[in-house]
Amino acid sequence: MEFSIVVAPNLETLAAEVSGLFSNGWQLKGGIVECNQGYAQQMVRKPSDMVRKKSKQPESQPVQKRTKWIE
């Protein structure tokens, strides 16, 4: 299990930084903590979840072929 702590000077910046980590498989753990540098949020992810996520990614969509209409 991996842990990460995101620290930001204000809540808006913290929200922006945390939202960027969701796409990488991170999840929130606990609440927002006020500290000397501003605000902090602990994040957690399991390596096994990343393996599952990579295997479930859809394949690239097939290319549509162009056809000419014959009149």
Side-chain angles (χ1 to χ4, degrees):
M1 184 166 295
E2 296 178 76
F3 294 93
S4 178
I5 298 176
V6 180
V7 179
N10 57 38
L11 290 173
E12 294 161 353
T13 307
L14 180 68
E17 291 182 20
V18 167
S19 66
L21 294 174
F22 285 134
S23 61
N24 294 331
W26 291 94
Q27 297 176 349
L28 296 176
K29 180 177 182 188
I32 296 173
V33 178
E34 190 172 356
C35 60
N36 292 339
Q37 293 87 12
Y39 298 92
Q41 174 70 55
Q42 187 176 7
M43 309 286 287
V44 64
R45 76 174 171 183
K46 297 177 185 174
S48 61
D49 291 343
M50 291 302 296
V51 172
R52 289 183 199 144
K53 183 179 176 185
K54 287 181 183 177
S55 65
K56 288 185 178 180
Q57 288 179 349
E59 296 178 14
S60 62
Q61 295 183 2
V63 179
Q64 292 181 349
K65 296 181 180 180
R66 294 185 180 193
T67 57
K68 288 187 175 181
W69 289 96
I70 302 173
E71 294 180 4

